[in-house]
Amino acid sequence: MRRSLTAALAVTTLLTPLALVATAGSASAAPVPPRTPLVDFNHDGYADVAISSVGGWQGTTPGTVTVIYGSASGPDTAHATFGRATPGVPGDPQDGGRFGSQTAAADLDDDQYTDLVISGDGNAVVLWGSALGLHGEKSTELPWRGSDVTAGDFNGDGKRDLVTGDIEGEPDPGDDLFGMSVSYGPFTRDGKAASKQQVPTQREFGESAFVVGDVTGDGADDIVSSHGFEERAYGSQFWKGGKNGVSTTSTPLAATYSGAIADVDKDGYGDLIVRDIGNNYEDMPYQKGTVLVRYGTPDGPSATRTAKITQDTAGVPGVGEVGDEFGSSISAGDVNGDGYADVAVGIPGEDIDAVTDAGSTVLLKGSRTGLTGTGAQAFQQSTTGVPGVSEKNDKFGAQVLLSDTNKDGKADLTATAPTEDGTYADSGAAWYLRGAARGLTVTGIASYSPRSLGLPEDRVEFGGALTR
């Protein structure tokens, strides 16, 4: 049976990519080392984590987003939850609406507070950051709905921009070709961008995901777009950012899905780290999984300096098995403080001690020679010190995020298991592991769930998406 791309991706993990930003420069000059903008809704210097409870595709939950604020001890138990029913948030809650299935964090109005864009049912909305964090009052409706959204700085002016998987106006009759819209900041509080750019991608049926970051070292973020329709995955495309905005011509790449851009070898160029998926989306749930690295150059992702990492790579814990989906979720950050970006990899289909799809995560460490399996670490609910028990279909590692929640200069791991059972089925849960000089550690580990946070539990799939 032929299915829509949306239906095909229902069995995969959705994520919004890691955004990187730096000050303006030029490709001919020394590269500007990329950096990860801090997601900090209350501007206290601690990274905050926004976790979506999107429910299943046939679910009855309207969807919500819960913000866990960072602190000196890591994620604070203080939190705030937002949905269509939150006072001030435009729109009405809809069962199965999956509010929060698409999110992006960025300081859109340039006031030093990170703002949160939330999409799902109806038009997207912006919750504005403040000294007290996010709140629903005076949130703003945006003029688009349902498309993928990712933040970056695509013209290198230091202001945050948004790219969405839509384009104004209809394609030519019978053409079926779509594109992406780039909205340049700063934004006004009524949601208006400083300027907009329409970029036709010459691909059918729009984009399925974006990966954003500065590959070329010129201080402007670039875009890698993934494409497909029904079961077919088309080749991804690289779009260079620059002082005049996003180029309208692209470099073709192999078909990939989601990922991150980060400097794993500390040469000043952002490296593209993505899931290599072949040419069929419907094959993804049955794949062992492969992480593809294309190292950054002044011209974009290298075609010759590349690497593929699987669970069969030397040093990587575990064994590649059908359905593991190694690389289903990818996030980058410097976990051990050595200046090299490390990469967290989700493996939601990993079987643990014959427990089907219990799920796991692996940390791959950056180095002078790039990303390898040397010193890699694995964590799952069967790891000593990790709360919980590996159970069938937990899918631990369905979403992973590296961010410095305790402001010690080392990125910490948030890993989720959206189909973890609590009091009710598929209530979901999240775990926090601290970064340390030797990598991730279970010392000071924490976990939280809808029950521990006092939220609705029944099939909400807490952790179905993490904001980047």
Side-chain angles (χ1 to χ4, degrees), residues 437-450:
R438 294 186 178 181
L440 293 172
T441 176
V442 296
T443 301
I445 193 172
S447 63
Y448 36 95
S449 66

Side-chain angles (χ1 to χ4, degrees), residues 119-173:
S119 187
D121 60 299
N123 281 24
V125 299
V126 181
L127 306 182
W128 302 101
S130 72
L132 298 177
L134 294 177
H135 49 83
E137 296 298 330
K138 298 182 180 179
S139 54
T140 304
E141 189 173 66
L142 295 172
W144 44 264
R145 63 172 60 202
S147 61
D148 189 77
V149 55
T150 306
D153 178 12
F154 305 116
N155 57 5
D157 67 352
K159 315 298 182 186
R160 302 299 285 165
D161 314 315
L162 294 176
V163 56
T164 57
D166 59 1
I167 193 166
E168 292 182 358
E170 297 293 328
D172 292 336

Side-chain angles (χ1 to χ4, degrees), residues 362-452:
V362 161
L363 180 72
L364 303 172
K365 295 178 181 177
S367 70
R368 182 179 58 82
T369 57
L371 198 66
T372 70
T374 301
Q377 299 175 279
F379 297 89
Q380 62 273 143
Q381 288 189 77
S382 294
T383 300
T384 300
V386 176
V389 177
S390 294
E391 297 173 315
K392 184 178 180 179
N393 292 327
D394 279 350
K395 295 191 177 296
F396 182 92
Q399 289 285 310
V400 293
L401 173 68
L402 291 175
S403 61
D404 188 5
T405 57
N406 61 358
K407 202 168 62 173
D408 67 351
K410 300 177 180 64
D412 313 306
L413 173 67
T414 299
T416 71
T419 48
E420 168 90 354
D421 293 342
T423 305
Y424 298 91
D426 297 346
S427 56
W431 287 257
Y432 156 74
L433 287 80
R434 290 177 182 265
R438 294 186 178 181
L440 293 172
T441 176
V442 296
T443 301
I445 193 172
S447 63
Y448 36 95
S449 66
R451 182 179 182 182
S452 69

